[in-house]
Amino acid sequence: MLKTSLGEGAELRPLTPDLAEEFAAHIDRGREFIGRHVGMADAIPDADAARRVLETFAEKAAADTGRMWGIWLDGTLVGGVLFRSMDFRMETAEAGCWLEPAAVGRGLVTRAVGVIIDWAIEVRGIHRVDWWASTENTPSINVAKRLGMTREGVAREAYLHRGERYDMEIWSVLAPEWRAARDA
């Protein structure tokens, strides 16, 4: 998947190491907002760190174990979605997202995650897509709901972030559920 329109001046395209400066500037703009729930904001203090993260995901893409895409709105990188992991033997993937404040409330993440789920299921043969969200991250939980995922439970104190432990909700969608909802 190279470049996909998300409508309304937004597009989804791969985040690659050559975009490290732009990625770092995006993280800087949204650092505190993104960092409330996503460790990436703390892991990317500068362009060198951004490049290392993007190189890691380029390696994952080459090994077919993960992917990362950026969301551009009117030509500006404002967020992203990813498959943190992909396991083709088990036919599973774990999706995630982040967004800077200027882009909130437009449905960009929901549309972008829908695109990558559809790609994973229809093109790559993934059967199950997982979504983990802090119980305190209402926007992320709402994305899971809008995508028709099923809440499976809570992993207690499963996420250590900024020195605190957070409970994580586990959501998923299975390929037959995804297809049925999409085609309805």
Side-chain angles (χ1 to χ4, degrees):
M1 178 175 29
L2 293 178
K3 183 167 129 180
T4 303
S5 173
L6 298 174
E8 301 174 21
E11 66 182 11
L12 182 68
R13 54 185 203 246
L15 263 173
T16 54
D18 60 307
L19 300 171
E21 299 273 340
E22 186 176 8
F23 187 38
H26 152 63
I27 293 296
D28 279 344
R29 287 191 304 274
R31 185 170 311 284
E32 281 313 305
F33 183 79
I34 294 166
R36 293 178 309 155
H37 301 289
V38 180
M40 183 186 313
D42 297 338
I44 301 176
D46 55 36
D48 288 337
R51 186 170 290 101
R52 286 190 298 275
V53 168
L54 295 175
E55 286 170 349
T56 296
F57 272 89
E59 291 166 6
K60 284 185 172 202
D64 223 10
T65 60
R67 296 277 191 291
M68 182 184 284
W69 297 268
I71 299 170
W72 278 262
L73 180 61
D74 299 324
T76 300
L77 179 62
V78 295
V81 294
L82 56 80
F83 283 123
R84 194 182 71 70
S85 63
M86 299 176 81
D87 181 336
F88 289 97
R89 186 180 69 77
M90 297 302 293
E91 300 176 347
T92 62
E94 181 188 333
C97 69
W98 71 94
L99 197 62
E100 67 181 65
V104 170
R106 299 170 184 250
L108 296 173
V109 166
T110 302
R111 291 195 306 269
V113 174
V115 166
I116 70 169
I117 289 174
D118 203 63
W119 171 80
I121 289 172
E122 299 304 345
V123 175
R124 300 310 314 277
I126 292 292
H127 177 74
R128 174 189 168 97
V129 176
D130 292 331
W131 184 266
W132 287 61
S134 165
T135 55
E136 296 182 17
N137 190 347
T138 302
S140 186
I141 291 166
N142 287 339
V143 168
K145 290 176 182 177
R146 284 191 298 274
L147 291 168
M149 293 183 162
T150 299
R151 182 179 183 267
E152 296 184 340
V154 174
R156 298 175 308 133
E157 297 186 2
Y159 183 53
L160 180 61
H161 181 58
R162 294 183 172 175
E164 292 187 47
R165 291 216 160 266
Y166 292 89
D167 293 348
M168 298 294 285
E169 290 194 13
I170 305 157
W171 293 75
S172 73
V173 65
L174 305 178
E177 298 165 343
W178 180 257
R179 290 182 184 113
R182 183 196 60 207
D183 296 343

